[in-house]
Amino acid sequence: MGRLRSIVLECSEPEPLATFWAAVLDRPIVQRDDDWWSLERRGDEARVCFQVVADHVAPPWPGGHGEQQAHLDVEVDDLAQARAVVLELGARQLGDVVSEEDDGDWQVFADPAGHPFCLVT
């Protein structure tokens, strides 16, 4: 029926957020407007966009029911190496590494605007 076109992250300042995610996802920034920035779309993957919202408030992590509405999972080959990279880029660590027998390892971070995301192997 349909395809996911975009993942849009709300923020107060799109430039640092777009720069962060461009480095994490290895995609160039292809659109820069006052209130809308986008990364390059690759193949069938959704594009990632950043929309200015006045008085943006990051979702809490961990939050109560209904407070955290979504997060991104970023698949990586080496969790320790990826952790070092995202922290250098401005991410904030929100949790310790979790190991799951069937699902590999994962760890929760917040991007520079406070959006939660996981690095997963």
Side-chain angles (χ1 to χ4, degrees):
M1 184 179 102
R3 294 184 312 273
L4 181 62
R5 176 182 173 173
S6 303
I7 297 169
V8 181
L9 297 176
E10 297 178 346
C11 58
S12 57
E13 296 181 40
E15 182 175 6
L17 196 58
T19 301
F20 173 84
W21 283 107
V24 170
L25 300 175
D26 191 28
R27 293 184 185 190
I29 298 168
V30 294
Q31 183 178 358
R32 294 172 173 89
D33 294 328
D34 290 341
D35 60 354
W36 186 271
W37 287 48
S38 297
L39 302 184
E40 178 181 75
R41 182 177 182 167
R42 298 237 173 108
D44 291 342
E45 295 180 1
R47 67 185 178 151
V48 181
C49 306
F50 311 92
Q51 181 176 19
V52 174
V53 173
D55 302 321
H56 173 261
V57 177
W61 187 286
H65 180 69
E67 290 179 348
Q68 182 224 319
Q69 298 178 11
H71 71 272
L72 302 177
D73 285 346
V74 178
E75 190 171 17
V76 298
D77 294 325
D78 183 319
L79 185 58
Q81 181 182 17
R83 176 188 319 112
V85 170
V86 299
L87 291 174
E88 172 128 353
L89 291 169
R92 189 169 35 95
Q93 183 175 315
L94 297 179
D96 295 327
V97 175
V98 176
S99 295
E100 294 185 357
E101 191 172 314
D102 296 337
D103 260 353
D105 297 340
W106 55 274
Q107 190 168 15
V108 183
F109 298 86
D111 70 16
H115 301 105
F117 69 96
C118 295
L119 296 177
V120 290
T121 58

